[in-house]
Amino acid sequence: MEDILKILNKIEAPLIFLSKNSYKNLKVVRDLERTVSGFLDELRTAFLSHCRESSAMKIPEDIIRELYNTFEGFDSLSISDKKKRIDNAFVYIQELKSLCSGTAPSIPDNSVIQNEGSLTDCFRRLSTDVQYIKGVGPKVATMLGRKGVRNVEDMIYFLPRRYEDRRHIKSISSVNIGVPETVMGTIMDVGIRRYRNRRVLEATVDDGTGLLTAKWFQGNFLYLGKKFKEGEKIILTGEVKIFLLGKDMLHPDYEILDEQDDELLHFKRIVPIYSETEGLHQKYIRKIMMRVVSDYSPCIPSPIPDEICRRNNLVAIDYAIRNVHFPDHDQDIEALNDLRSPARRRLVFDEFFFFELGMALKRKGHLFEPGISFATGGDLVKRFYDILPFGLTGAQKRVIGEIETDMARAFPMNRLLQGDVGSGKTVVSMAAMVAACESGYQAAIMAPTEILAEQHFNNIRGWADRLGIKAAILTGNTKAADRRKIIKGIESGDTGIVVGTHAIIQEGVDFRNLGFVVVDEQHRFGVIQRAALRAKGLNPDVLVMTATPIPRTLAMTVYGDLDISVIDEMPPGKKPIKTKVFYEKSREKVYDIIRGEVGKGNQVFIVYPLVEESEALDLRDATSMAAHLREDIFPDLRVGLIHGRMKGSEKEMVMADFKNRNLDILVSTTVIEVGIDIPAASLMVVEHAERFGLSQLHQLRGRVGRSSLDSYCALIAQHKGSADARKRLRVMEQTNDGFRIAEEDLLIRGPGEFMGTKQSGLPDFRVASILRDASTLNEARREAFLLIEKDPNLEKPEHKALKKVLMKRWETRLEIAKTG
């Protein structure tokens, strides 16, 4: 393609000369039309030659024809028209150059950014404050800041939200009825009309071949009415309809054009449509973006090895940046709007690849750290299995085997254990902790709440006492004297198993030889907290447990550096919980069901979304409803109340009363969402169920059905809930499978909301979506892990730039994220 690029440079050279010094040289130019036409003849001949060599290549006739038209009659034009024509020509030439680079092999040329100096310069240029981009300034920078755009790199990744096909602007006389079309004309008339007592804003447009009326039935009429002025040029895109023999567009997309607007930027092409903010409109954003893309796209460093790019059919990164903002003339508009263009795919792969490369490096890094090689399957572990009143399920045995294999190795284990509510994760973690104690090490289990820590301790202490292992619990509410005694036992090594909340990672708690760590309900802990617990031992083995099933794509992303074990089998005889949705009119029926369950000798949970009444939210709350239920609905029953604002000792007292059957009904907030074990509870009632996420509803439902009792879940919802809320409730009625529920919840809410982005460690991808782009995630993960397998520390000379870009992307996250 070098011959074509040379011809394009020959066409461009005189235009660059003419455009210097504010186009002063235009006054003396002669015969430019003839000169450029000769070059264009050469260009067409060169393209023909390449087409004969490659059947995949086509002559860009439309662009070459536009260039011919641009210079037709050039010498007789006014100076201002000549300026416009030259500006248009630059855009066409740039498009042809992009086409040439796009049809060349799709391997990025990273030679420009292979050395450290060039990379550092790239990072510096990309971090330039957006206000210093030509045409921006402080005022526009503030507007862009509202969209999260603060520097050049942010601007490059501020991608179009959709695209409009303005390659073929139709005359109004030739538009097809019933299909989307784009027309351009002059506004002849603007006004508000009335049709059957309904106000309609109408703008009549004339393009010289006919009239078309744009209509808006809703929206800010005053704003639009002021915006549209007679005599202005406008582009309209929308479906054409016939009304009273005239052509209409209802609520079309529109753009008002100025005389000085660059036609080639705003139409006669596929046009990017960006997310707007007040005072900053499409044409202005496009103009800035064209400058940014032209000046800075070569600075985006993505030195992914050539063979990886070839294997995955990736286009060059700078080509991808240009094409995702200003697509070439021959791009597929549907693929662009469906977010599956080759340009976007490259950017998605790029994001996933560097994320997964970091994950692979972290995971490989664990293998190079000195760890503890535990003796597994000893007599103490066998005794533990013997004292259990039940046999282990096949899934529990498989997972224990996976954990024991890791524990026997001489490097630290990092494993995620997923299991639905009631699947037996605690027993699995206890088997591992017993093996650690039998090898002469201490074990710790950290839970997110005091209630859950207490429950773990009650189970673990019963087993530990019979095995001769000393267990202790340490929480924020542990009394000072008891705390000193417990810490002494931890420091001396007398205490084998420590159960606690975040209190066990505080300063002043020093383990003698911590070898095994269990972190329960992972997503409730911040990354720093988990790392702090890990730091208490000399590279202890880490088992992360969660009862919130995490779909595979999400687990791969958030826990990509961990091995994953799944308990996908329930203990025999565990009955499914029957779930039904009730609406307000059926409230009395729910109260009858509650009374019926208590009459059988069972207990009931009733959960509310709020602790106290809120002026801002029209919702029932736990505090006032507990009083109402106690005094007005169930005066003959024992009703208790628990919520997160109560002191730890108060909560413990209420839970003890409920567990000891001193209460029939426990009114609560979601404080009981995780882990509470009340075997006699057979009914869970959730008020305002439409306000809860699917996974949260599933966790609440899991508080019942923890014995052989037939158990039920009643979801009381308001009719005014959203379509997504109704969908969530239907899923709850249909299945008890936590993994299916998690998949549905992920689809409805999206990854960030599903995990709780701030504390989950979930990366904030700018382009990629782990749902939409799951297949690309798999490809990028495979390539990243394969690369680290071959070069574990990225030390090879050809990976030097890759490592620098990786470290820049991850910044400080590699170290603190060691525990997931």
Side-chain angles (χ1 to χ4, degrees):
M1 305 296 281
E2 276 185 37
D3 53 340
I4 291 176
L5 290 171
K6 280 179 183 176
I7 297 166
L8 288 170
N9 288 336
K10 283 199 290 185
I11 298 170
E12 201 173 31
L15 305 184
I16 292 170
F17 168 75
L18 291 171
S19 65
K20 284 181 178 176
N21 300 320
S22 303
Y23 291 92
K24 283 179 184 174
N25 299 327
L26 274 173
K27 293 174 184 175
V28 295
V29 71
R30 293 285 183 272
D31 291 334
L32 191 64
E33 179 182 353
R34 192 175 64 183
T35 304
V36 172
S37 293
F39 289 148
L40 289 173
D41 290 341
E42 281 183 50
L43 188 68
R44 182 178 267 123
T45 304
F47 267 111
L48 267 170
S49 171
H50 280 279
C51 287
R52 290 192 195 101
E53 293 170 15
S54 171
S55 58
M57 190 171 178
K58 293 178 182 175
I59 301 176
E61 278 289 358
D62 47 354
I63 305 178
I64 295 173
R65 194 181 307 112
E66 289 291 351
L67 271 170
Y68 274 117
N69 294 339
T70 298
F71 291 98
E72 189 178 346
F74 185 88
D75 296 338
S76 60
L77 294 173
S78 67
I79 296 293
S80 63
D81 284 341
K82 283 179 179 178
K83 285 181 187 177
K84 279 189 186 178
R85 294 281 185 97
I86 288 175
D87 286 345
N88 289 350
F90 278 130
V91 176
Y92 285 131
I93 291 165
Q94 193 57 45
E95 233 176 288
L96 287 169
K97 284 185 174 181
S98 296
L99 200 61
C100 290
S101 65
T103 50
S106 60
I107 304 305
D109 178 13
N110 285 311
S111 57
V112 188
I113 55 168
Q114 283 295 339
N115 66 73
E116 289 202 29
S118 297
L119 276 172
T120 303
D121 188 54
C122 281
F123 296 149
R124 181 186 58 76
R125 292 191 70 198
L126 291 171
S127 64
T128 302
D129 193 301
V130 76
Q131 70 171 311
Y132 299 118
I133 297 170
K134 190 178 176 184
V136 178
K139 187 179 176 184
V140 175
T142 302
M143 296 176 191
L144 288 168
R146 292 201 289 264
K147 291 289 181 184
V149 176
R150 292 178 176 82
N151 58 35
V152 167
E153 188 173 3
D154 292 338
M155 193 75 194
I156 286 173
Y157 284 98
F158 183 56
L159 301 188
R161 58 187 174 85
R162 62 183 180 86
Y163 301 85
E164 277 186 11
D165 191 350
R166 297 183 187 170
R167 288 173 291 190
H168 311 290
I169 293 179
K170 288 274 191 81
S171 62
I172 291 174
S173 62
S174 66
V175 293
N176 295 310
I177 308 303
V179 294
E181 297 277 27
T182 299
V183 300
M184 182 174 65
T186 304
I187 299 173
M188 305 305 292
D189 178 54
V190 183
I192 295 174
R193 315 275 185 262
R194 282 194 175 275
Y195 294 92
R196 296 178 186 170
N197 296 321
R198 191 174 187 185
R199 293 193 315 157
V200 180
L201 177 69
E202 292 188 354
T204 304
V205 175
D206 185 354
D207 72 346
T209 71
L211 299 176
L212 182 143
T213 304
K215 295 179 178 178
W216 286 267
F217 290 89
Q218 56 198 29
N220 191 334
F221 288 161
L222 290 175
Y223 170 74
L224 286 176
K226 287 177 183 174
K227 194 166 185 179
F228 299 147
K229 293 181 176 63
E230 291 178 17
E232 282 186 326
K233 213 171 184 182
I234 190 169
I235 288 181
L236 298 169
T237 301
E239 186 180 332
V240 181
K241 296 179 179 290
I242 290 289
F243 179 71
L244 298 177
L245 303 179
K247 293 172 182 174
D248 283 1
M249 278 187 187
L250 306 184
H251 294 272
D253 291 315
Y254 66 87
E255 200 163 304
I256 296 165
L257 299 171
D258 300 325
E259 282 302 317
Q260 66 268 29
D261 273 337
D262 180 353
E263 286 189 2
L264 267 297
L265 194 53
H266 307 300
F267 55 100
K268 293 188 180 176
R269 69 179 306 145
I270 296 172
V271 175
I273 307 294
Y274 296 91
S275 173
E276 288 185 359
T277 186
E278 191 178 346
L280 198 60
H281 303 299
Q282 290 301 324
K283 288 183 297 178
Y284 196 76
I285 297 172
R286 251 177 248 137
K287 199 173 177 181
I288 297 168
M289 195 62 81
M290 177 60 91
R291 187 172 291 126
V292 169
V293 168
S294 299
D295 292 350
Y296 294 98
S297 63
C299 286
I300 292 290
S302 179
I304 297 176
D306 290 355
E307 66 272 16
I308 292 177
C309 294
R310 264 195 295 272
R311 269 198 302 271
N312 294 279
N313 298 315
L314 301 178
V315 299
I317 190 73
D318 55 340
Y319 172 86
I321 294 288
R322 288 197 310 273
N323 258 265
V324 81
H325 285 287
F326 299 101
D328 286 344
H329 207 266
D330 60 350
Q331 292 293 300
D332 180 350
I333 187 73
E334 284 188 20
L336 286 163
N337 279 320
D338 289 345
L339 308 180
R340 51 184 177 82
S341 68
R344 187 174 281 262
R345 182 174 170 270
R346 169 60 204 256
L347 300 183
V348 168
F349 188 96
D350 185 77
E351 274 199 306
F352 281 149
F353 180 78
F354 280 100
F355 178 76
E356 292 295 346
L357 197 65
M359 284 291 191
L361 206 59
K362 281 168 57 185
R363 187 169 180 175
K364 202 72 177 174
H366 296 321
L367 304 184
F368 287 100
E369 293 171 347
I372 303 161
S373 180
F374 293 98
T376 58
D379 291 340
L380 200 60
V381 175
K382 287 172 185 169
R383 276 177 55 202
F384 170 62
Y385 296 145
D386 290 339
I387 65 173
L388 293 174
F390 49 79
L392 298 176
T393 65
Q396 284 174 313
K397 289 175 183 173
R398 184 190 72 243
V399 167
I400 287 171
E402 291 166 355
I403 292 169
E404 285 183 343
T405 300
D406 282 359
M407 290 179 75
R409 290 176 178 151
F411 44 80
M413 175 180 83
N414 284 276
R415 185 168 286 277
L416 172 69
L417 172 58
Q418 289 196 75
D420 212 341
V421 178
S423 62
K425 296 182 298 300
T426 307
V427 171
V428 169
S429 65
M430 183 65 186
M433 289 191 287
V434 170
C437 292
E438 192 169 12
S439 293
Y441 290 88
Q442 292 168 293
I445 178 165
M446 187 161 75
T449 66
E450 291 187 12
I451 291 175
L452 190 52
E454 282 280 357
Q455 187 167 291
H456 274 314
F457 181 64
N458 291 336
N459 287 328
I460 287 166
R461 182 175 53 183
W463 294 323
D465 286 350
R466 293 176 68 181
L467 295 171
I469 299 170
K470 187 177 178 183
I473 182 168
L474 189 63
T475 70
N477 279 329
T478 305
K479 290 175 183 174
D482 293 337
R483 180 182 169 81
R484 284 193 294 271
K485 188 177 175 183
I486 291 165
I487 289 174
K488 192 176 178 183
I490 293 170
E491 288 174 346
S492 67
D494 289 345
T495 301
I497 297 176
V498 182
V499 183
T501 56
H502 64 278
I504 64 175
I505 63 169
Q506 291 172 349
E507 283 186 32
V509 182
D510 296 310
F511 288 79
R512 185 178 177 192
N513 55 350
L514 179 63
F516 195 90
V517 173
V518 181
V519 182
D520 197 9
E521 290 304 321
Q522 160 91 346
H523 67 288
R524 289 173 171 252
F525 285 110
V527 171
I528 305 289
Q529 289 171 307
R530 297 195 294 270
L533 179 59
R534 199 174 190 280
K536 292 281 179 184
L538 183 66
N539 291 331
D541 283 8
V542 177
L543 180 67
V544 170
M545 298 198 307
T546 178
T548 306
I550 303 164
R552 187 171 173 273
T553 49
L554 203 54
M556 274 170 54
T557 310
V558 183
Y559 306 118
D561 60 326
L562 305 184
D563 294 301
I564 298 176
S565 291
V566 180
I567 303 179
D568 50 8
E569 179 185 355
M570 285 299 199
K574 185 169 173 62
K575 298 176 180 178
I577 300 161
K578 293 171 186 160
T579 304
K580 185 169 174 54
V581 177
F582 295 88
Y583 291 98
E584 192 58 42
K585 63 182 181 184
S586 304
R587 177 170 293 279
E588 291 303 321
K589 189 173 181 182
V590 176
Y591 289 160
D592 289 343
I593 294 169
I594 292 170
R595 191 172 285 283
E597 286 304 304
V598 175
K600 294 178 195 171
N602 301 336
Q603 292 171 286
V604 177
F605 285 105
I606 306 179
V607 175
Y608 292 88
L610 301 178
V611 175
E612 294 173 344
E613 192 175 358
S614 163
E615 289 181 14
L617 297 168
D618 181 22
L619 301 174
R620 288 183 169 83
D621 65 280
T623 306
S624 61
M625 284 303 293
H628 170 62
L629 293 170
R630 194 182 295 122
E631 294 164 15
D632 306 324
I633 308 298
F634 305 114
D636 53 325
L637 302 182
R638 298 164 298 173
V639 179
L641 171 68
I642 188 170
H643 56 73
R645 292 187 198 167
M646 294 165 69
K647 290 179 182 174
S649 55
E650 292 175 318
K651 284 189 280 192
E652 285 167 25
M653 197 179 299
V654 173
M655 284 311 302
D657 279 344
F658 195 48
K659 192 157 193 172
N660 296 329
R661 312 286 291 267
N662 296 325
L663 294 172
D664 302 306
I665 298 169
L666 182 61
V667 175
S668 170
T669 57
T670 55
V671 70
I672 55 94
E673 176 188 340
V674 173
I676 305 303
D677 194 1
I678 307 292
S682 64
L683 175 62
M684 167 62 69
V685 178
V686 182
E687 289 267 15
H688 294 289
E690 77 282 354
R691 306 277 303 184
F692 294 87
L694 253 178
S695 292
Q696 199 173 29
L697 288 172
H698 181 62
Q699 288 297 312
L700 289 170
R701 177 169 64 182
R703 297 310 101 221
V704 298
R706 302 179 77 83
S707 65
S708 59
L709 295 173
D710 288 330
S711 296
Y712 309 91
C713 179
L715 304 174
I716 304 178
Q718 306 299 310
H719 275 292
K720 59 189 175 188
S722 66
D724 276 350
R726 289 192 292 274
K727 188 176 179 184
R728 287 198 293 272
L729 299 178
R730 278 197 301 274
V731 172
M732 286 295 293
E733 283 186 313
Q734 290 164 1
T735 183
N736 276 264
D737 183 343
F739 285 93
R740 189 193 151 194
I741 284 169
E743 292 283 359
E744 292 283 351
D745 202 17
L746 183 59
L747 288 171
I748 292 169
R749 290 198 292 161
E753 198 183 333
F754 179 91
M755 291 298 296
T757 304
K758 284 185 182 175
Q759 288 219 326
S760 69
L762 183 69
D764 186 14
F765 293 122
R766 290 187 287 199
V767 184
S769 159
I770 61 176
L771 299 182
R772 184 187 62 237
D773 304 312
S775 61
T776 307
L777 170 61
N778 287 327
E779 291 161 5
R781 180 178 171 79
R782 185 187 66 242
E783 293 288 5
F785 275 71
L786 195 62
L787 183 67
I788 295 300
E789 201 63 46
K790 293 175 182 174
D791 186 8
N793 290 318
L794 295 177
E795 290 174 332
K796 291 181 180 177
E798 63 268 30
H799 295 152
K800 200 172 182 182
L802 191 69
K803 187 172 186 176
K804 192 170 175 70
V805 172
L806 174 71
M807 299 309 288
K808 178 68 179 173
R809 298 250 186 132
W810 273 74
E811 298 281 286
T812 57
R813 286 197 292 165
L814 274 170
E815 183 55 39
I816 65 168
K818 267 185 181 173
T819 319

